Amino acid sequence: FILFARTMSQIILVRVSLDLSTDLRQRMYQRISAAPIAALEKVGLPRLIASITADVPVIVAGARLLPDMLTSSVTLIGMLGFLLYLNPAVFWFVMGCIVCGGLTYQIPVIIGRRQLIRARRHVDDLYESIRGLVHGAKELKLNHDKREDYYRNVLNAAEDDMRAASKLGHSIMCVAQNYGNLITFFVIGAVSFIFVNHNAISRQELSGVIMVLLYVSGPVSSLLNFLPQLTAAQVSLRKVNDVFDQIPTENIDDTG
């Protein structure tokens, strides 16, 4: 049953993701075709292409994580409820550690998200540079100095800026993930070696608490690992919405 259920859920999720990706791109096609020429020129071809080719897949990848997030969240809530049943004092101690860890965890996440937003802005600059390379290929071939200057100060500069922001953003997110994973083991150690010295807890309760905390570490790690992809999806979704907001629709007479 597990094999069948997992296989069917994955197949359904893949199909829904593909449908979502196609629907989102088709919405953009229709919005672009119904937009005034002046608005399209103001937005620019590079931003439109970047939204269609770069942002849509990231948004869909983020949406695919929602079922797994729901499963991990339900598991986490169930285990915490069982922990409350085993020992309320340990439950509130663990909840305090989760709250403190979650608040401190947000600091590197916010910093990393800002870097990912910067990296996404540089993607527009890179697409603009590529467009200039294609449309100005003839002129660049005729002038060696201009070609080298364009490669060095425009194209490569955009690549370097995007790469630097992406590296920094993802590196900070990796630090946040590892810190989040460390919180779980810190809680287990605190309960095993500190909490039991100041509170009455039987050996049977301690064994059950440790097993619950070990089982909880998996869903917690999954939720933390999903966060960078969800952050990237939020950044891409914001860029797509910005493009939609800058492209008004106009009435087109189809009878002519």
Side-chain angles (χ1 to χ4, degrees):
F1 175 76
I2 292 176
L3 176 62
F4 175 78
R6 286 184 177 179
T7 303
M8 291 304 299
S9 63
Q10 292 174 357
I11 292 175
I12 294 173
L13 183 60
V14 169
R15 291 175 178 269
V16 171
S17 300
L18 293 174
D19 291 339
L20 177 63
S21 177
T22 302
D23 292 341
L24 186 56
R25 285 196 298 266
Q26 288 177 346
R27 282 181 54 200
M28 297 190 69
Y29 301 155
Q30 294 174 358
R31 193 65 174 266
I32 292 173
S33 63
I37 300 300
L40 295 178
E41 292 177 349
K42 182 179 180 180
V43 174
L45 179 62
R47 289 189 61 187
L48 296 175
I49 295 178
S51 296
I52 295 174
T53 59
D55 289 328
V56 171
V58 175
I59 295 173
V60 174
R64 292 184 60 180
L65 298 177
L66 296 180
D68 293 333
M69 288 187 59
L70 178 61
T71 303
S72 298
S73 300
V74 171
T75 303
L76 179 61
I77 294 173
M79 289 295 100
L80 290 177
F82 182 58
L83 183 62
L84 178 62
Y85 169 77
L86 286 177
N87 192 303
V90 175
F91 169 78
W92 290 114
F93 176 77
V94 171
M95 289 301 299
C97 294
I98 291 177
V99 172
C100 294
L103 292 177
T104 55
Y105 176 79
Q106 293 301 318
I107 297 175
V109 168
I110 293 174
I111 299 174
R113 188 181 181 206
R114 290 179 179 176
Q115 295 300 321
L116 293 178
I117 293 175
R118 286 184 55 192
R120 180 56 188 83
R121 293 197 189 108
H122 291 311
V123 171
D124 293 336
D125 298 335
L126 178 61
Y127 274 74
E128 178 66 28
S129 302
I130 295 174
R131 187 185 70 86
L133 177 65
V134 174
H135 290 280
K138 182 177 180 181
E139 183 178 357
L140 293 176
K141 287 181 179 180
L142 296 176
N143 192 318
H144 178 270
D145 294 335
K146 182 179 292 187
R147 182 173 67 252
E148 293 299 323
D149 180 74
Y150 189 84
Y151 287 160
R152 182 174 58 255
N153 297 324
V154 178
L155 194 60
N156 292 337
E159 284 279 4
D160 293 338
D161 292 339
M162 184 188 68
R163 179 179 57 185
S166 297
K167 283 184 175 180
L168 182 58
H170 288 291
S171 298
I172 295 175
M173 286 296 183
C174 289
V175 173
Q177 287 181 13
N178 291 316
Y179 170 70
N181 295 333
L182 186 63
I183 293 175
T184 303
F185 295 101
F186 169 76
V187 173
I188 295 175
V191 171
S192 302
F193 301 104
I194 300 176
F195 187 85
V196 295
N197 294 326
H198 300 278
N199 295 270
I201 180 172
S202 64
R203 184 178 298 273
Q204 291 79 9
E205 288 180 339
L206 180 60
S207 300
V209 167
I210 299 301
M211 291 300 297
V212 169
L213 294 179
L214 288 173
Y215 195 84
V216 162
S217 62
V220 171
S221 299
S222 298
L223 292 174
L224 295 178
N225 291 333
F226 292 156
L227 191 58
Q229 299 182 53
L230 289 177
T231 301
Q234 290 177 349
V235 172
S236 296
L237 182 61
R238 180 182 299 179
K239 296 295 293 185
V240 171
N241 290 332
D242 291 341
V243 171
F244 276 136
D245 293 338
Q246 296 181 27
I247 303 179
T249 58
E250 65 177 354
N251 296 325
I252 301 176
D253 186 8
D254 295 332
T255 59

